[in-house]
Amino acid sequence: MPKWDKNTFIEKAKDSCYPHISNILIDLVNFADDSADTISWGRGKDCGTMVYKCKSDDFGMVPLFHITTNGQIKFQLNYMRTNIAKKEIVRDFQLKLESNFLMDFDEDEYPSDLFHEIDDLFNIKHEVEKFEDTIQGISARLKQ
């Protein structure tokens, strides 16, 4: 049984992170609460986790991103590369992440899914909104 839920996650994020980072985490949790098909909450003792999942008819439940109460985010791009047969969806996700964060998510440069510091990627509210749009777009494509 998960130890974490929306309220405990937000409370821990507020206690663990600088206010601008916890605000981004809260925005992402609220976004997930409104639009994810399923949210998985972690069972860890010291650090809370949340995974945004999209239900796909072809591929089952697909995790798209993972956040932690200590201010980190992981994009499940390599998970998708190995589990999604529609490579154009994975490529679209990669291109949108590269555009949003000005990082290279090529298979050679990004061979495994890594945690990134939230404050390294998101500086203004608009960047969070662009990421949310990316997730909504990929979710819609996975449901086609």
Side-chain angles (χ1 to χ4, degrees):
M1 180 170 163
K3 172 186 175 183
W4 298 92
D5 62 22
K6 181 179 179 179
N7 294 327
T8 57
F9 187 94
I10 289 172
E11 184 179 317
K12 178 69 171 181
K14 286 180 179 180
D15 290 340
S16 301
C17 300
Y18 291 112
H20 70 282
I21 297 170
S22 65
N23 288 339
I24 293 167
L25 289 170
I26 292 167
D27 286 346
L28 292 174
V29 168
N30 288 331
F31 165 71
D33 196 36
D34 291 340
S35 63
D37 292 316
T38 300
I39 299 173
S40 294
W41 299 100
R43 297 182 303 242
K45 188 167 99 174
D46 297 323
C47 178
T49 59
M50 184 209 79
V51 181
Y52 179 108
K53 294 183 179 181
C54 170
K55 185 176 187 317
S56 168
D57 290 338
D58 296 333
F59 311 108
M61 293 305 283
V62 179
L64 298 182
F65 70 92
H66 181 134
I67 58 175
T68 68
T69 56
N70 59 358
Q72 295 182 321
I73 188 167
K74 180 186 343 179
F75 311 112
Q76 302 293 126
L77 184 59
N78 284 301
Y79 173 88
M80 289 177 67
R81 284 181 178 136
T82 58
N83 293 291
I84 304 297
K86 294 181 181 174
K87 297 303 175 193
E88 65 276 6
I89 296 173
V90 178
R91 180 73 178 141
D92 185 38
F93 191 36
Q94 176 184 337
L95 291 173
K96 287 182 178 177
L97 289 174
E98 288 175 345
S99 173
N100 287 353
F101 303 116
L102 301 176
M103 294 174 60
D104 191 2
F105 289 96
D106 177 278
E107 281 185 81
D108 295 331
E109 298 292 321
Y110 194 75
S112 61
D113 295 325
L114 306 169
F115 279 101
H116 302 276
E117 298 297 323
I118 290 277
D119 60 345
D120 290 343
L121 301 177
F122 300 98
N123 295 306
I124 58 174
K125 177 81 171 163
H126 180 69
E127 292 169 333
V128 176
E129 292 166 352
K130 276 180 56 179
F131 176 69
E132 290 171 352
D133 289 344
T134 295
I135 296 300
Q136 286 178 324
I138 295 302
S139 294
R141 296 212 43 206
L142 285 166
K143 293 176 183 179
Q144 292 178 345

